[in-house]
Amino acid sequence: MKNAIIGVIGGIGPCAGLDFMQNIFNNTRAAQDQDHLDCVLVSCPSMITDRTGFLLSGGEGENPALGMFESAKKLHAAGAAYAVAACNTAHAGRIFKPFCQMVHAALPELTIINMLETCADYVKKNLAVKRIGLLATRGTHTSRVYHEYFGGGFELLEPDEAGQERVHQAIYSAEFGIKACSQPVKPQARETVEREICRLAERGAQAVILGCTELPLAVHAAYALPVVIINPALIAARALIALVAPEKLLGGE
Amino acid sequence: MKNAIIGVIGGIGPCAGLDFMQNIFNNTRAAQDQDHLDCVLVSCPSMITDRTGFLLSGGEGENPALGMFESAKKLHAAGAAYAVAACNTAHAGRIFKPFCQMVHAALPELTIINMLETCADYVKKNLAVKRIGLLATRGTHTSRVYHEYFGGGFELLEPDEAGQERVHQAIYSAEFGIKACSQPVKPQARETVEREICRLAERGAQAVILGCTELPLAVHAAYALPVVIINPALIAARALIALVAPEKLLGGE
């Protein structure tokens, strides 16, 4: 029996979308091409306005939800049954709620997988941690979307203002940021991210969430980080495999 | 103005499809997400039978062209204007011709980019080489599809029978082959590929074609290979950028 087709809204950013797909492939039990799950990636970044820019402007300009909805329509047209947005900042209520409303109204058969909710559920169920560090864009930081999903019982530690700015630059800088340069990630971006992870660990974080889908691109090659790393994209990719073909999920649920 | 949407038939294999997309992103002039080209990747491997198996059986079983056509329909439904198949073996006439016929008849607005033809044109135009090594699957080897596209004026050097078998295993082995293990590629596969490249160079090849989209996954990390490497997926990705947004092609045409 063929699996339901997994849809990924990529392009936000493009390499993070590929990384999401790679997470699916890496976590699928497969010895030949045909064993892999059927997936569609829509990477149409020109249609989706910047998520952080929208949130920081207080909602001026076009809502990225509109472009994400266009991508969802493409996924649906291509036969996808599930859709996940490979971008943390896009999960802020001001973007994600109207996106979900549009999808529910126009494409009721397309099931949206909420990456942040999936991540929070996983952490609550599987990790005995209460003090969690969060590295994210200014948009995710300001919108406090992770606070919403993690709720009470967790203490979320974020970098101070200067640290938050450094993380944001590691993602967004046109000279060395991960969005501009990810093949390979520039040492300045990687070192910044690693340093901020260590700072959060020093402040008592038992785990650190890579709360931007670009951050794993910088951390993939890192070894010996002094803290548990929580990668929401990896968790959501595994949740999707568990949904469509649980017998193919590598390493158990 | 938005670019025409690039469509990639992936899943053959899955990681080669991602690598094709990464080639597009890596070769696009972009400082922010929105600068990147709009693309769709359909990675539905369960629908596409093994290309080499089909060719070696003399055309028994379902033609992979049927599944590739299903993927093309999905790309078209998602708005793609161009479609490229990220698999060399799929370009053998016995597969690619019926595929093109089905697309031309049912989806006349979808333009197929022939990766091997694009590669041959590029080499003829840009590289002063005449003796070219070819590493490929048994299917590509047996179908002599590269001979068809390169035609007279080129001498194509292929590994001997034992070498051809080693290359095929480096791609297909369930234990160490690139299709089964590409994150990371196993040393045995990588060393086999590098060794066969060197053998072809020793036999006088001035360049070596990585004539299977899995092979670049093994060669990406290789340094100091003694010969020019021709990566048809990279050449086709750059040709697609030149088609839809020539001003964004990094490094000139």
Side-chain angles (χ1 to χ4, degrees):
Chain A
M1 209 193 67
K2 305 224 177 287
N3 65 277
I5 297 176
I6 296 171
V8 177
I9 299 176
I12 45 180
C15 293
L18 292 188
D19 190 56
F20 196 97
M21 296 282 282
Q22 190 76 63
N23 279 323
I24 297 177
F25 299 163
N26 288 355
N27 287 274
T28 303
R29 193 180 309 283
Q32 56 181 0
D33 296 347
Q34 289 75 17
D35 298 338
H36 277 279
L37 300 179
D38 293 332
C39 303
V40 177
L41 169 70
V42 169
S43 181
C44 291
S46 85
M47 305 179 189
I48 306 179
T49 50
D50 186 65
R51 286 67 61 200
T52 287
F54 176 76
L55 293 174
L56 293 185
S57 74
E60 276 185 35
E62 182 181 305
N63 192 321
L66 293 170
M68 290 164 60
F69 176 55
E70 289 306 311
S71 292
K73 284 198 278 189
K74 290 178 181 305
L75 288 176
H76 180 257
Y82 296 94
V84 64
C87 170
N88 286 265
T89 313
H91 285 74
R94 201 156 190 168
I95 299 170
F96 209 66
K97 277 179 194 155
F99 166 67
C100 289
Q101 282 163 0
M102 287 185 274
V103 171
H104 292 156
L107 313 165
E109 327 81 86
L110 186 67
T111 301
I112 297 171
I113 301 300
N114 182 320
M115 182 164 72
L116 268 60
E117 192 173 59
T118 305
C119 176
D121 288 350
Y122 175 87
V123 170
K124 287 172 190 169
K125 194 175 150 198
N126 296 286
L127 297 183
V129 294
K130 291 294 168 194
R131 287 169 66 92
I132 305 180
L134 173 63
L135 293 186
T137 62
R138 280 205 302 258
T140 298
H141 172 70
T142 305
S143 70
R144 294 178 61 83
V145 54
Y146 268 95
H147 292 80
E148 184 185 322
Y149 286 109
F150 274 81
F154 287 95
E155 186 186 350
L156 287 180
L157 296 178
E158 295 183 83
D160 60 18
E161 207 53 45
Q164 180 59 49
E165 181 59 26
R166 284 191 294 268
V167 173
H168 190 84
Q169 287 305 319
I171 298 166
Y172 269 94
S173 163
E175 284 115 58
F176 62 87
I178 307 167
K179 279 185 184 291
C181 317
S182 68
Q183 287 284 315
V185 169
K186 296 237 171 162
Q188 189 174 351
R190 183 183 152 183
E191 285 163 16
T192 299
V193 173
E194 290 183 10
R195 207 175 306 123
E196 296 302 327
I197 289 173
C198 293
R199 285 219 175 90
L200 290 169
E202 282 161 19
R203 284 168 55 198
Q206 302 159 294
V208 172
I209 298 170
L210 304 181
C212 168
T213 46
E214 262 77 27
L215 292 173
L217 306 177
V219 176
H220 276 321
Y223 294 99
L225 288 170
V227 68
V228 173
I229 296 296
I230 298 173
N231 178 351
L234 172 60
I235 292 169
R238 290 180 57 82
L240 278 160
I241 300 170
L243 264 175
V244 304
E247 74 284 3
K248 292 200 175 176
L249 181 63
L250 275 178
E253 240 184 296
Chain B
M1 208 192 71
K2 304 222 176 288
N3 66 279
I5 297 176
I6 296 171
V8 177
I9 299 176
I12 44 179
C15 293
L18 293 189
D19 190 55
F20 196 97
M21 296 282 283
Q22 190 76 64
N23 279 323
I24 297 176
F25 300 163
N26 288 355
N27 287 274
T28 303
R29 194 179 308 283
Q32 56 181 1
D33 296 347
Q34 290 75 17
D35 298 339
H36 277 279
L37 301 179
D38 294 332
C39 304
V40 176
L41 168 70
V42 170
S43 181
C44 291
S46 85
M47 304 179 190
I48 306 179
T49 49
D50 186 64
R51 285 68 60 202
T52 286
F54 175 77
L55 294 174
L56 293 186
S57 75
E60 277 186 33
E62 182 181 306
N63 193 320
L66 292 170
M68 290 164 60
F69 176 55
E70 289 305 311
S71 293
K73 284 198 279 190
K74 291 179 182 304
L75 288 176
H76 180 257
Y82 296 93
V84 65
C87 170
N88 286 266
T89 314
H91 285 74
R94 203 156 187 167
I95 299 170
F96 209 67
K97 275 178 195 156
F99 166 68
C100 289
Q101 282 162 0
M102 286 186 276
V103 170
H104 291 156
L107 313 166
E109 326 82 83
L110 186 67
T111 302
I112 296 171
I113 301 301
N114 183 321
M115 183 166 70
L116 268 60
E117 193 174 60
T118 306
C119 175
D121 289 349
Y122 175 87
V123 170
K124 287 170 191 172
K125 195 174 150 198
N126 294 286
L127 297 182
V129 294
K130 291 293 167 196
R131 287 170 68 90
I132 305 180
L134 173 63
L135 292 186
T137 62
R138 280 205 302 258
T140 298
H141 171 69
T142 305
S143 70
R144 295 178 61 84
V145 54
Y146 268 95
H147 293 79
E148 185 185 320
Y149 287 110
F150 274 80
F154 286 96
E155 185 186 353
L156 286 180
L157 296 177
E158 296 183 84
D160 60 19
E161 207 53 45
Q164 180 60 47
E165 181 59 27
R166 284 191 295 269
V167 172
H168 190 84
Q169 288 306 320
I171 297 165
Y172 269 94
S173 162
E175 284 114 57
F176 62 87
I178 307 166
K179 280 186 184 290
C181 318
S182 68
Q183 288 283 314
V185 169
K186 295 235 173 165
Q188 188 175 351
R190 182 183 152 183
E191 285 162 18
T192 299
V193 173
E194 291 182 10
R195 210 175 304 123
E196 296 303 326
I197 290 173
C198 292
R199 284 217 177 91
L200 290 169
E202 283 160 18
R203 285 170 54 199
Q206 301 160 295
V208 172
I209 298 171
L210 303 181
C212 167
T213 46
E214 263 76 26
L215 292 173
L217 305 176
V219 176
H220 277 323
Y223 294 100
L225 288 170
V227 66
V228 172
I229 297 295
I230 299 173
N231 179 352
L234 171 61
I235 292 169
R238 289 181 56 85
L240 278 159
I241 300 170
L243 264 175
V244 305
E247 74 285 2
K248 292 199 175 175
L249 181 62
L250 275 177
E253 238 184 299

